[in-house]
Amino acid sequence: MTDKTAQAEKTAQAATAERYVLGLRDVDETWVAAVGGKGAQLGGVSRIEGVRVPDGFCVTTDAYRRVLAQAPSVGDLIDRLSRLEPDDREGARGLSAEIRRGIEGIAIPAGIAAAVTRALARLGERDGYAVRSSATAEDLPSASFAGQQDTYLNVVGAAEILRHISRCWASLFTERAVAYRRQNGIDHRTVHMAVVVQRMVAPHAAGVLFTADPVTGDRRSATIDAGFGLGEALVSGQVDPDVFTVRDGEVVARTIAAKRRALHAQPAGGTREAAVDARRREEPALTDEQAVRLVRLGRRIEAHFGRPQDIEWCLVDDGFQIVQSRPVTTLFPVPEADDEENHVYVSVGHQQMMTDPMKPLGISVWQSTAMVPMLEAGGRLFVDVTRRLAAPASRAALLDLVGKGDPLVRDALETVLGHDGFVPTLPDAPPAGPPPGAAPPAPPAPIETDPAIVSGLIERSQESLAALEREIRTKSGPALFAFLLEAFEEHKRVLGDPLSMRAIMAGMEATWWLNDKLLDWLGEKNAADTLTLSAPDNITSEMGLALLDVADVIRPLPEVMEFLRSVEPAEGPAEDTSFLDELAKLSGGTAARQAIETYLDRYGMRCVGEIDITRPRWRERPATLVPVILDNVRNFEPGAAERRFEEGRAKAREKEQDVLARLRALPGGDDKAAETKRMIDRVRTFIGYREYPKYGIISRYFVYKRALSAEADRLVRAGVIPEREDVFYLTFEEFHDAVRTHQVDERLIQRRKDAFRSYHALTTPRVLTSDGEAVMGSYGRDDVPDGALTGLPVSAGTVEGRARVVLDMADADLEAGDILVTTFTDPSWSPLFVGIAGLVTEVGGLMTHGAVIAREYGLPAVVGVAHATRLIRDGQRVRVHGTDGYVEILT
């Protein structure tokens, strides 16, 4: 062989080795595609000054792809796995096992084996190594995949290491990894496996460090789990750890466990579990000084990656070595602030009955039309209430207001106020008054109990909406966005109309007055619930009853009924009105279509999660209403809407007469009765209007959305974006820029899509602090029977029935007498309320939409029941105590 040939062969071997094997210190966190999440994170950690990582290398995803290319049949099996229906668990289990067997049966190509052997020779081929899976969908900001693939400890010898590399490749298709990807919407065909081969260390102690409290989310508190020997026993839950909490550079809490067993590496390979000497079992695995030092290292790693980390560490000769670092994906993100001060944020979603994540366009439009500044975190919106909490008078007013609506929010705020010094005490702001020497302004006159006020407000709202519809028709391109900015200001003017605010507050205050006084005078809880039945001008309760009228048209049409039973609600965000076109071809279909169209003309702008402008509206996806229409046909007789309304009105009149008669029999009863009559008239005049401003907002939103959708279609036709819905992942300002420049950052859209998908796994806290503490609040009640679920009573009465756990309105299948159990109900759920006997939700307050409509329909309801949809199984019998605020599970 000539020197030239030999040199060429060496160059080829080096290129092959670099393709299949990369040193840990040759990669960083940007190399996920080549070395997977674990390898990339470790490479990044190894570059941080002062942080030690055991030596090692990565077998790249190119090696994995090369191996799979040798067995096309395995690729076919992965294709089949990707095409399975989401609920086909048996099929997934069988295919996963077949894929694993196929991968482990593939011989490792000589070039890959040689590259691994050379890397081992450089490090020490007789040493023990950890062989660890590192998938491209692993240790990511949106999904950690912790424990989903396999790790093998203290593997000795090149042949054994190669065998375990194959096992790591195969572990990409463990049942748990496959299920996790399916749950997170990740295509199996897009994920590839690298393997980290890392020198074993023999630690005195090992464990896990969370640089933020994994339970509360507090970013200032770090938590350490520590045990003797290797950390694998601790991570897998085989032994109880010591637990240290470190805050601001000192250990503030510690729990020392009785550590009876420890895992150690064996000289010939593998690991063994051994008993801990009885004299050492209750010794701490770390000293306080070591715990503080470890957290300092963790803070350095956290700063490098820019987010809290879950770090696996080993203590060797009083020095720490890091063997893994991944982002903590379960923490709720914190809104960005432009200062270093403490902040307290209250969830907007809990007030608006929509705690699901919103897309960027939806967030930015809501921010642009809201009456107060709102901040985004985790796809949700929050209001900063720090300044109001800091001053005594505004603090008391805020706590009183939120406490009446949702006691859990008040409790959460009081929990934060209990943290010494977190919210500073500031003086109350001086009242805004007239210039010196000027006469003080007269206080606003009390609003009269006059139905003409409500009809006038509704008329003005309708006129503003009609003007918006006329003026927007001629606007397109950049001119549309300029027009919408002006429209948003008109939107806020209508929403902030002082008379409208006073009308809403008049209804709410009259409700509170009646409940407080009648409890005091008559000992009757929630008396206003019956007094507000069938109150006039409630657009949301009218919406539910109107769908009963649609059912009346459809009920006598057998061909239409048969067709509707076959209709499947469309999936995804795209419009689909095809079923209406098909309906018109049937006998009686024209009348049925006209009834549905009439309903959509008035209510078609509504949908579940309607505060997010990107959500598909009923007008865009009318098939969403079909299950509810069919339930109404099945569960009601003709004319039910009018009867329901009149029955409610009669019950309210009867309740009024009863209450007034009982009051007159009390000392000073005539005065009490007269004042109560005035408040009953007041609540019936104004409480229905409580629902109208939201209807006006959503009506305007649909006008905005149609105009913006037309712009998105133009971008699609111009080849700027592939799909209309891509603009949902842009803010309003970014959408405007795209229309002006005909340019869009496709990578930004993809990152936003990935982030939005990950946000669904997060639970929205009622209150969030700038330290990251997520506070849900508690009721602190002791008057609830053992085993019952505590909530907030919002609509009086007690009812027993079958629980129907419904997470999507389109999946509802309700019978008369069922009790609806769901996460939250915004106004779009109201059509379901006419056919149920009671309501239980996880989110809600006394004056939120679901509570108002439950009272309108006379449904016993308990809201704010934590984890109701998990604790109550579909089909169980439950008893809802709407007067006292708890739910009993009977079977």
Side-chain angles (χ1 to χ4, degrees), residues 51 86 112 232 243 318 354 356 385-386 413 479 504 515 561 582 592 633 656 660 696 707 732 735 780 829 842:
V51 178
I112 297 173
E232 186 66 19
V243 181
D318 197 37
M354 215 293 275
D356 288 347
V385 297
T386 316
L413 288 173
I504 292 170
N515 281 335
M561 286 288 297
E582 294 299 314
V633 169
E656 176 182 332
L660 295 179
F732 181 82
F735 190 177
W829 286 75
E842 295 181 348

Side-chain angles (χ1 to χ4, degrees), residues 366 369-371 490-498 500-501 504 693-694 697:
W366 188 264
T369 54
M371 300 302 294
E490 168 66 5
H491 182 120
K492 289 190 280 191
R493 188 196 66 76
V494 173
L495 186 59
D497 182 341
S500 177
M501 296 290 194
I504 292 170
K694 182 73 171 286
I697 291 171

Side-chain angles (χ1 to χ4, degrees), residues 198-380:
Q198 197 173 16
R199 191 194 299 275
M200 284 290 295
V201 294
H204 161 74
V208 179
L209 162 66
F210 292 92
T211 63
D213 188 311
V215 177
T216 68
D218 187 347
R219 273 40 167 198
R220 288 174 61 189
S221 293
T223 300
I224 301 169
D225 286 3
F228 293 133
L230 295 169
E232 186 66 19
L234 183 151
V235 171
S236 62
Q238 297 175 38
V239 298
D240 291 330
D242 295 344
V243 181
F244 299 82
T245 301
V246 178
R247 184 177 177 89
D248 298 334
E250 64 176 317
V251 175
V252 295
R254 71 179 66 72
T255 302
I256 306 304
K259 298 173 286 296
R260 300 180 183 280
R261 312 291 293 176
L263 194 68
H264 298 282
Q266 296 191 97
T271 61
R272 64 178 177 84
E273 189 180 280
V276 175
D277 188 300
R279 292 167 296 181
R280 298 184 56 225
R281 287 176 183 173
E282 297 193 14
E283 287 182 8
L286 295 177
T287 65
D288 282 6
E289 182 275 332
Q290 288 170 333
V292 170
R293 184 152 40 98
L294 175 59
V295 170
R296 273 201 297 269
L297 279 178
R299 294 291 181 218
R300 209 175 292 175
I301 297 169
E302 178 184 69
H304 176 84
F305 291 115
R307 61 183 298 155
Q309 296 289 299
D310 165 0
I311 298 167
E312 294 182 24
W313 54 270
C314 296
L315 178 64
V316 184
D317 299 328
D318 197 37
F320 289 101
Q321 298 196 37
I322 305 303
V323 295
Q324 186 161 322
S325 183
R326 63 168 72 91
V328 184
T329 60
T330 56
L331 300 178
F332 202 91
V334 178
E336 292 185 7
D338 55 7
D339 58 40
E340 298 297 320
E341 302 298 320
N342 293 341
H343 292 271
V344 183
Y345 308 101
V346 171
S347 163
V348 173
H350 283 83
Q351 314 306 312
Q352 291 296 332
M353 295 298 94
M354 215 293 275
T355 54
D356 288 347
M358 299 168 65
K359 295 186 178 75
L361 182 62
I363 287 171
S364 62
V365 170
W366 188 264
Q367 288 173 316
S368 299
T369 54
M371 300 302 294
V372 296
M374 294 184 179
L375 303 164
E376 183 274 338
R380 281 79 166 186

Side-chain angles (χ1 to χ4, degrees), residues 360-361 364-365 368-369 468 471-489 613 703-715 721 724 727-728 730-744:
L361 182 62
S364 62
V365 170
S368 299
T369 54
L468 172 66
E471 294 168 13
I472 204 170
R473 288 182 191 133
T474 59
K475 305 298 189 294
S476 64
L480 169 66
F481 289 83
F483 171 80
L484 284 173
L485 290 175
E486 295 176 5
F488 294 165
E489 293 306 309
I613 197 173
V703 178
Y704 306 154
K705 183 178 185 182
R706 287 190 148 177
L708 290 170
S709 295
E711 289 303 315
D713 289 339
R714 292 186 185 97
L715 291 179
I721 54 175
R724 172 202 280 190
V727 301
F728 294 168
L730 302 174
T731 66
F732 181 82
E733 294 77 12
E734 291 165 347
F735 190 177
H736 186 186
D737 288 342
V739 168
R740 283 191 303 102
T741 65
H742 271 210
Q743 292 182 338
V744 168

Side-chain angles (χ1 to χ4, degrees), residues 775-806:
V775 192
M776 297 304 294
S778 63
Y779 291 106
R781 292 172 55 185
D782 57 8
D783 60 343
V784 173
D786 290 344
L789 308 180
T790 306
L792 177 66
V794 296
S795 187
T798 300
V799 66
E800 182 179 320
R802 179 181 64 162
R804 296 314 307 263
V805 180
V806 180

Side-chain angles (χ1 to χ4, degrees), residues 339-647:
D339 58 40
E340 298 297 320
E341 302 298 320
N342 293 341
H343 292 271
V344 183
Y345 308 101
V346 171
S347 163
V348 173
H350 283 83
Q351 314 306 312
Q352 291 296 332
M353 295 298 94
M354 215 293 275
T355 54
D356 288 347
M358 299 168 65
K359 295 186 178 75
L361 182 62
I363 287 171
S364 62
V365 170
W366 188 264
Q367 288 173 316
S368 299
T369 54
M371 300 302 294
V372 296
M374 294 184 179
L375 303 164
E376 183 274 338
R380 281 79 166 186
L381 288 166
F382 295 85
V383 173
D384 188 340
V385 297
T386 316
R387 183 64 183 82
R388 293 185 67 184
L389 286 175
S394 59
R395 177 193 311 147
L398 175 65
L399 292 175
D400 183 58
L401 182 63
V402 300
K404 285 177 176 175
D406 185 345
L408 292 178
V409 174
R410 176 174 184 143
D411 183 79
L413 288 173
E414 288 176 335
T415 298
V416 175
L417 287 168
H419 299 341
D420 287 344
F422 188 84
V423 178
T425 299
L426 301 175
D428 288 309
I447 190 170
E448 297 179 17
T449 303
D450 183 358
I453 292 174
V454 171
S455 57
L457 287 167
I458 292 173
E459 185 177 347
R460 289 208 294 275
S461 177
Q462 290 173 340
E463 288 171 354
S464 176
L465 178 64
L468 172 66
E469 290 173 330
R470 282 195 309 273
E471 294 168 13
I472 204 170
R473 288 182 191 133
T474 59
K475 305 298 189 294
S476 64
L480 169 66
F481 289 83
F483 171 80
L484 284 173
L485 290 175
E486 295 176 5
F488 294 165
E489 293 306 309
E490 168 66 5
H491 182 120
K492 289 190 280 191
R493 188 196 66 76
V494 173
L495 186 59
D497 182 341
L499 184 60
S500 177
M501 296 290 194
R502 289 165 65 197
I504 292 170
M505 289 308 300
M508 293 169 66
E509 288 166 354
T511 301
W512 297 333
W513 188 96
L514 286 167
N515 281 335
D516 290 345
K517 292 296 185 182
L518 296 181
L519 177 61
D520 184 29
W521 291 339
L522 300 176
E524 186 168 342
K525 293 181 179 179
N526 303 324
D529 293 359
T530 306
L531 293 168
T532 55
L533 290 173
S534 298
D537 299 312
N538 190 316
I539 189 73
T540 308
S541 64
E542 291 168 5
M543 177 172 69
L545 296 175
L547 207 56
L548 290 174
D549 292 334
V550 174
D552 286 352
V553 174
I554 289 171
R555 189 178 288 105
L557 303 173
E559 195 172 333
V560 170
M561 286 288 297
E562 183 179 357
F563 170 72
L564 290 181
R565 291 189 188 102
S566 70
V567 171
E568 294 287 338
E571 296 183 357
E575 292 186 27
D576 183 1
T577 60
S578 57
F579 102 90
L580 289 177
D581 297 329
E582 294 299 314
L583 194 60
K585 301 173 185 177
L586 307 174
S587 175
T590 301
R593 175 173 179 162
Q594 183 58 49
I596 295 172
E597 290 278 8
T598 300
Y599 185 86
L600 292 173
D601 287 343
R602 185 151 173 78
Y603 304 111
M605 76 294 292
R606 310 220 81 148
C607 69
V608 174
E610 60 192 8
I611 68 171
D612 183 350
I613 197 173
T614 70
R615 291 284 189 106
R617 312 282 136 173
W618 291 344
R619 168 55 78 182
E620 297 169 320
R621 297 261 291 277
T624 303
L625 295 170
V626 169
V628 190
I629 294 172
L630 292 174
D631 284 348
N632 288 346
V633 169
R634 184 173 64 248
N635 296 330
F636 293 93
E637 297 296 323
E642 185 175 354
R643 282 197 306 277
R644 286 287 296 267
F645 187 80
E646 289 303 323
E647 286 169 4

Side-chain angles (χ1 to χ4, degrees), residues 54-81:
D55 284 343
F57 58 89
C58 300
V59 182
T60 68
T61 54
D62 276 343
Y64 169 80
R65 279 188 286 264
R66 167 81 187 278
V67 166
L68 255 61
Q70 294 189 178
S73 61
V74 173
D76 293 340
L77 291 171
I78 296 172
D79 285 341
R80 285 174 56 193
L81 181 64

